[in-house]
Structures are given as C-alpha cells and as structure tokens.
Amino acid sequence: MIIVFKKSATAGEIEHVTDKIKEVGLAVHLSQGEEITIVGAIGDETLLDGLPLEALPGVEKVMPILKPYKKVCKDMRPEGTVFDVDGVKIGGNKIQIIAGPCSVETVALLEDCAEKVKASGASILRGGAFKPRTSPYSFQGLGEEGLKMLKAAKEKTGMPIISELMDPRDLDLMCEYVDILQIGARNMQNFRLLLEVGKSKKPVLLKRGLSATIKELLMSAEYIASQGNTNIILCERGIRTFERATRNTLDISAVPVLKAETHLPVFIDPSHATGDWSLVEPLSKAAIAVGADGLMIEVHSDPENALCDGEQSLKPAKFDSLMNVLGNIATAVGRTI
Ligand code: PEP
Ligand code: MN
C-alpha cells in the first residue's frame, strides 16, 4: 500500500501514520521528496483493512497495490479456472452453450426443447423454476414442480441443468435438483445469498447486475469465493443505459476486461442483453470473437405463446443454424464449440 502525504503534512503527522503501520506488523519505506512525502507499507496489506488511513491528518491519498477481489483475481490462478459439471468442462478451450426456455412451463415443451438444443450442440439445459419478475402478477415459475421437470429432462438427454436461485431458503431444494445455481442480475448484490451459495460448493453462474460495474461484479464473485467455492461463471447480460433500442446494452468490452482481471470463465447472455431474438445471432458471434467462454441463449419451441421472454427466444431451428455459424467463428479464434 502506498500512502501519499499532503504538501503541508508535518513530521509529527507522518510519524503518526508510520507508527500505525508498524503497529499492525508491516514494514515502512519512507520516500521524502522536496515536494511530497510517500510511504510504502510493505507486507500483507490486508492487515491494514479497517484502518482509516485516508482520514488521518496529513494524508492526501491511499493507494492499495493488491486487488480487493483477492481470490478471483487473475494472479491467483493465471492459467484460468476450468471446472467440470457432469462431464462438461467450463472454462476450457471448448465454448459451452447453455440453452433452453426462460421458464419451465410443461414437460412436453421442456423435453422437446431439450432434445433439440442438445442435437444442435448445446451442452447445458436452462430453465427457470423461480422467476424474478418485475410484476408480482406475472408468471412466477412452477417452483419445485419445474425443478422436477428439469431433472426429468436431464435424465432423458444427459444434459446438466441450470436454474435460478432467488432465496437462500430454497438452496437445499435447488441443490437436490440442479447442477449449476444461477444468481440472477437482480440478486447480484444479495450478499447473504452469495455467502450461502459459496458455502454450498455447487457451481454458480453469477449474472452482472443491471447497473453494476465490472468491479462490483468481481466483488460479488469474491463473496462466493470467500467461502471456498471458486466454481463460478461470470455472465455479462447487458446493463441499463440511456439506450432504449434494446432491452439492455450488451457491454461486450466486459469480456476482455474480465478475462484480464480474473481467472473465472466469462459467458455472455445475448438474449437478456437485447430482448430481441433477431439480435441474438450477431451478438453471439461477437461474444465468441471477443473471447467469451460460453453463451446462455433462450430457446423456446413456441415463443409466441411463451409465458416469459418469448420475444427474445429463438425457435429450435434458428438455434440450430446459429450453432453452425458459431462453429466457424470459434475455429477462427482457435476454439471449439
Ligand atoms: C434469466 O436468465 O432467466 C434471467 C432472469 O436473467 P437476468 O437475471 O439476467 O435478468
Ligand atoms: Mn428470460
């Protein structure tokens, strides 16, 4: 940690700060210039957590050297995290595609969708059983009934399943059924939920909040990792901006920024990012070109009658042709799909 003093700082003020640093067991490196004085606190700077150095008399600013997201930062595992979900390797050279309906509706619809997306090359089946709807009067999901349908679809197709957890009270139930817990955009900063998910050790897909910065997303991942669970996928799903042409604005630059900052795999959800099925293909292409490790795409066999997000859902035939196009882009960037 580097502490920069004000021009006006007195020798007594500088000594007071260096004493505080030494008290917690760190060494001090003093650099006294003609204009300003700088102090380097050498050693484990976490020992200074909770010490309000910036508020001490004479201090101009305090600059941490370490990232505040210690467990998920790139330096912790420069080779990148790769983990296995029922035989599906997340974070490796192969780009993994999560596909399925926004919400689980009926056995017939889910199984039809699951079989088709699997045949097209998707490796993980999605489907919401607990839905975070803006209106309390909209379809809220089938709850455990939906989880049972997902499990049945898994048994039929062999695809691992992912579904959203909204409430820590449902954690044990969800863990019985799903292979990956999804934390939705609206819960990205539900810190108690993140801690519980961290303790569970289940793989997690953490979506970026609607108005969360990249640093905030990483700090939320850190909550999960702090409990010993680093099987985390980060998912950029569009952020809220002034632009109204799309449901959200896909922050495509989040992919290379995150890949440079963290060892965790990074996925893109072009469906929620745009809210428009016709934009899913171009943004999926962009996502792979820019280095995403996977995609989450909403697919529905009958989008006109979907109970949720039909307007952004691809029909299975469209998803199939998209997968063919994406294969070429993956090859161009040295990856498989
Ligand atoms: C979803 O994937 O079903 C969902 C609700 O997404 P988000 O949390 O990104 O809005
Ligand atoms: Mn949806």
Side-chain angles (χ1 to χ4, degrees):
M1 179 159 308
I2 292 167
I3 297 110
V4 181
F5 287 89
K6 292 179 180 151
K7 255 184 178 175
S8 59
T10 64
E13 286 169 346
I14 295 169
E15 197 182 329
H16 180 60
V17 172
T18 54
D19 284 350
K20 289 266 175 214
I21 295 169
K22 287 178 196 158
E23 262 169 36
V24 299
L26 298 188
V28 165
H29 177 84
L30 184 68
S31 160
Q32 208 136 23
E34 264 181 37
E35 294 277 319
I36 48 167
T37 298
I38 294 172
V39 159
I42 321 286
D44 177 6
E45 69 182 28
T46 60
L47 295 171
L48 292 167
D49 284 353
L51 204 66
L53 288 176
E54 211 137 29
L56 295 181
V59 174
E60 175 72 36
K61 65 177 171 196
V62 174
M63 296 181 290
I65 306 282
L66 294 176
K67 307 274 185 189
Y69 34 92
K70 302 173 201 309
K71 292 202 156 53
V72 305
C73 75
K74 185 86 176 175
D75 292 342
M76 193 49 92
R77 205 180 282 155
E79 70 283 10
T81 285
V82 181
F83 59 93
D84 194 280
V85 179
D86 253 8
V88 175
K89 282 220 166 6
I90 312 271
N93 189 259
K94 185 172 172 2
I95 292 162
Q96 301 295 359
I97 308 296
I98 303 171
C102 181
S103 29
V104 179
E105 298 176 18
T106 66
V107 175
L109 272 170
L110 185 66
E111 291 189 351
D112 178 65
C113 191
E115 275 161 14
K116 287 178 176 154
V117 297
K118 185 181 181 190
S120 302
S123 46
I124 299 167
L125 177 66
R126 66 152 286 148
F130 296 96
K131 294 303 303 173
R133 305 304 300 277
T134 302
S135 165
Y137 309 116
S138 301
F139 175 58
Q140 302 287 308
L142 297 178
E144 186 169 5
E145 214 43 51
L147 296 175
K148 285 185 179 151
M149 292 180 190
L150 279 168
K151 191 145 194 180
K154 175 183 176 173
E155 272 154 23
K156 264 201 154 162
T157 60
M159 294 171 95
I161 51 181
I162 175 170
S163 199
E164 178 166 349
L165 170 71
M166 297 205 309
D167 187 324
R169 289 170 295 188
D170 298 325
L171 179 63
D172 292 342
L173 176 75
M174 292 283 293
C175 285
E176 273 176 45
Y177 289 95
V178 308
D179 301 292
I180 306 177
L181 295 167
Q182 177 173 324
I183 300 296
R186 290 154 193 82
N187 270 316
M188 189 203 85
Q189 287 189 313
N190 184 338
F191 300 120
R192 295 282 292 272
L193 182 63
L194 300 178
L195 290 175
E196 291 306 315
V197 161
K199 284 182 209 150
S200 82
K201 308 290 185 290
K202 267 268 179 202
V204 185
L205 180 139
L206 175 65
K207 292 188 126 188
R208 180 176 180 182
L210 277 75
S211 55
T213 63
I214 290 175
K215 186 174 171 193
E216 285 164 343
L217 171 61
L218 288 166
M219 291 310 293
S220 289
E222 187 74 14
Y223 265 90
I224 300 171
S226 73
Q227 302 304 300
N229 185 357
T230 54
N231 291 342
I232 307 165
I233 301 167
L234 300 176
C235 183
E236 159 61 38
R237 46 75 75 206
I239 49 175
R240 191 165 278 188
T241 68
F242 55 84
E243 182 53 67
R244 304 262 49 90
T246 46
R247 181 177 177 180
N248 293 290
T249 299
L250 180 64
D251 180 9
I252 198 84
S253 56
V255 179
V257 171
L258 285 168
K259 295 298 289 180
E261 285 295 305
T262 176
H263 55 80
L264 299 175
V266 179
F267 279 38
I268 287 267
D269 170 350
S271 308
H272 290 89
T274 59
D276 177 347
W277 69 267
S278 72
L279 298 174
V280 169
E281 176 168 327
L283 293 183
S284 298
K285 290 178 181 168
I288 292 181
V290 83
D293 299 298
L295 298 171
M296 175 183 256
I297 297 176
E298 286 188 341
V299 180
H300 196 289
S301 308
D302 183 15
E304 289 84 357
N305 293 303
L307 295 179
C308 185
D309 287 349
E311 61 288 1
Q312 67 194 34
S313 299
L314 296 183
K315 289 183 181 164
K318 183 76 194 145
F319 177 73
D320 191 61
S321 63
L322 169 66
M323 287 298 284
N324 285 326
V325 177
L326 296 183
N328 298 330
I329 306 207
T331 308
V333 294
R335 304 197 60 172
T336 57
I337 191 162

